[in-house]
Amino acid sequence: MSQPSQAEPPPPDLGIVNRVVNGNIVVSVTGEVDTEAAPKLQAAVTTAIEDTGSACVLDLTTVDFLDSAGLATLITADAYAETRGKSLRIAVDSNSPVIRPIEITGLDIVLRLYHTVDEALQASNRPSP
């Protein structure tokens, strides 16, 4: 007699929705950004950077988890935007589980972080630190 499989439930889907606000593209992300989801996020942010006039806002305020692949995606996307003369602004709530890995790795000094999407949209394009 075989035992039933104890397969793990599938990971929560990564949700990505784009919208245009005052000529800037806002990429809103929900779910978990892990090794499986990072390529999907990278593709979405790269496309948004290409399609925007000046700034792309990446809204991570409702992301539940961000691992090293997600952090690498943020670094890559920021560098991609910079090489195209555009700005990547990242909205992340200070109480979010996303801010901890960003701070631990020191990326809070490198990336353009804002508490809200509105704050990110109102910010001027400042040069990288």
Side-chain angles (χ1 to χ4, degrees):
M1 178 184 246
S2 64
Q3 291 202 278
S5 171
Q6 294 293 331
E8 298 221 5
D13 288 344
L14 180 71
I16 300 175
V17 176
N18 291 4
R19 61 189 165 103
V20 178
V21 180
N22 297 329
N24 298 308
I25 295 182
V26 177
V27 179
S28 298
V29 183
T30 58
E32 297 184 0
V33 182
D34 57 14
T35 304
E36 288 183 33
K40 182 178 177 183
L41 178 60
Q42 181 68 52
V45 174
T46 299
T47 299
I49 290 167
E50 286 295 328
D51 292 347
T52 190
S54 62
C56 174
V57 175
L58 180 57
D59 179 7
L60 300 179
T61 57
T62 58
V63 169
D64 302 320
F65 177 77
L66 180 74
D67 72 2
S68 59
L71 292 170
T73 298
L74 297 181
I75 296 165
T76 302
D78 186 61
Y80 185 81
E82 188 173 319
T83 61
R84 285 166 178 66
K86 299 179 182 180
S87 173
L88 177 65
R89 303 171 188 165
I90 302 169
V92 57
D93 183 358
S94 60
N95 295 323
S96 163
V98 172
I99 193 64
R100 184 101 171 111
I102 290 173
E103 289 175 339
I104 288 172
T105 56
L107 291 177
D108 56 324
I109 297 168
V110 177
L111 300 173
R112 293 166 193 83
L113 301 179
Y114 301 89
H115 294 288
T116 66
V117 170
D118 287 341
E119 185 181 308
L121 286 167
Q122 293 171 8
S124 63
N125 288 335
R126 62 180 170 93
S128 294

